[in-house]
């Protein structure tokens, strides 16, 4: 079955620096790759996603890149701010099958942005 | 729109006790999911309901049961709680596309 590995498990940056989190997936049939941000005591919130027919997607300070050949995708946060501090999860999906969208999650990256 | 709501927020049980975690969504989504989150393991799917009236097992269903009460509500029941079920439980919903929207979670401790 699908397996998603996420690195690093913790990341500490200075405010204003960039942060990069990387994920690899095992199943080449995966075609949807979301990123979730989880703040302390809250549920995961979808922040950006990318589909397999796209190589890069940007939304203000965040961007996601996808390399289908290498089966890895990355989250890039530029000009980090203290409010970016959270746990970030990547996930992979082969889409809807039998009415069910199966998301396989990475283990998470705890990002700390220091003022 | 409240989105996905879960009750309770916190719960402490003794081994062998039972309880039901409640989830409701007001987005008119067809599909609903229950996940558990454990340190260093991401989120793992317990059960899902593709549509009202249907439920199916996910990755880690043992020790749990679910009920899709109607289109809005999806409950998770622990019949005889065990310390291994200490976790944070999240409910999610989706409609049409693969995007899933999560509730705030229930933190459960089993002593």
């Amino acid at each position: 079955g699908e397996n998603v590995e996420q690195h690093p498990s913790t990341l500490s940056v200075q405010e204003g620096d960039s942060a990069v989190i990387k994920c690899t997936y095992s199943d080449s049939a995966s075609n949807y790759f979301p990123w979730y941000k989880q703040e302390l005591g809250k549920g995961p919130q979808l922040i950006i996603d990318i589909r397999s027919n796209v190589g890069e997607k940007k939304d203000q300070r965040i961007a996601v890149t996808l390399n289908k050949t290498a089966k890895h995708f990355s989250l890039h946060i530029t000009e980090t701010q203290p409010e970016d501090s959270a746990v970030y999860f990547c996930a992979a999906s082969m889409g809807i099958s039998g009415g069910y969208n199966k998301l396989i999650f990475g283990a998470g990256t705890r990002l700390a942005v220091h003022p | 729109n409240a989105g996905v709501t879960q009750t309770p927020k916190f719960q402490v049980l003794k081994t062998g006790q039972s309880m039901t975690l409640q989830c409701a969504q007001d987005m008119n989504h067809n599909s609903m999911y229950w996940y558990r989150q454990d340190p260093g393991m991401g989120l793992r799917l317990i059960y899902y309901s593709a549509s009202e009236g249907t439920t199916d097992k996910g990755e880690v269903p043992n020790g749990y049961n679910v009920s899709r009460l109607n289109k809005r509500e999806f409950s998770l029941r622990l019949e005889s709680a065990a310390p291994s079920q200490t976790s944070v439980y999240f409910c999610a919903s989706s409609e049409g596309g693969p995007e899933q929207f999560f509730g705030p979670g229930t933190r459960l401790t089993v002593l």
Side-chain angles (χ1 to χ4, degrees):
Chain A
E2 175 69 283
N3 182 51
V4 177
E5 294 189 357
Q6 182 171 348
H7 299 281
S9 57
T10 61
L11 181 59
S12 181
V13 300
Q14 290 297 124
E15 183 177 359
D17 287 350
S18 295
V20 180
I21 303 170
K22 299 181 179 181
C23 289
T24 59
Y25 60 99
S26 60
D27 196 325
S28 57
S30 292
N31 57 18
Y32 173 70
F33 308 92
W35 285 90
Y36 286 85
K37 176 183 181 181
Q38 185 177 23
E39 297 176 333
L40 192 62
K42 297 184 178 180
Q45 179 185 10
L46 180 66
I47 56 172
I48 195 167
D49 56 16
I50 191 167
R51 286 166 168 77
S52 59
N53 58 347
V54 175
E56 183 176 3
K57 183 177 179 180
K58 289 183 178 180
D59 183 3
Q60 299 183 0
R61 295 186 298 107
I62 61 173
V64 57
T65 59
L66 172 65
N67 183 326
K68 289 173 55 180
T69 302
K71 291 191 285 188
H72 67 70
F73 56 111
S74 300
L75 178 71
H76 304 254
I77 306 174
T78 59
E79 300 174 18
T80 54
Q81 301 169 4
E83 52 264 39
D84 294 328
S85 296
V87 179
Y88 292 81
F89 291 96
C90 65
S93 170
M94 288 180 281
I96 303 291
S97 176
Y100 161 42
N101 172 37
K102 182 178 183 179
L103 283 178
I104 303 297
F105 285 85
T109 296
R110 184 174 300 276
L111 173 65
V113 180
H114 302 285
Chain B
N1 277 358
V4 180
T5 57
Q6 294 182 236
T7 56
K9 293 187 184 304
F10 303 94
Q11 184 71 49
V12 179
L13 293 177
K14 295 181 179 178
T15 297
Q17 288 185 316
S18 63
M19 78 160 295
T20 300
L21 283 65
Q22 306 286 354
C23 173
Q25 52 92 10
D26 62 3
M27 296 176 283
N28 203 35
H29 287 172
N30 277 323
S31 300
M32 298 184 73
Y33 311 83
W34 275 106
Y35 290 89
R36 61 177 289 171
Q37 183 179 41
D38 301 296
M41 299 190 72
L43 289 92
R44 292 181 294 168
L45 185 68
I46 305 170
Y47 269 93
Y48 67 98
S49 171
S51 61
E52 185 178 355
T54 69
T55 61
D56 281 288
K57 297 178 180 179
E59 297 174 71
V60 288
N62 291 346
Y64 305 95
N65 284 301
V66 291
S67 295
R68 185 73 182 267
L69 304 172
N70 48 55
K71 190 171 185 179
R72 289 188 63 248
E73 299 172 288
F74 188 37
S75 63
L76 178 72
R77 183 160 178 83
L78 287 71
E79 292 291 350
S80 179
S84 60
Q85 294 178 305
T86 293
S87 189
V88 182
Y89 292 85
F90 289 100
C91 177
S93 69
S94 68
E95 176 62 30
E99 300 88 350
Q100 292 186 18
F101 299 90
F102 286 81
T106 294
R107 185 174 295 274
L108 175 66
T109 301
V110 183
L111 304 175

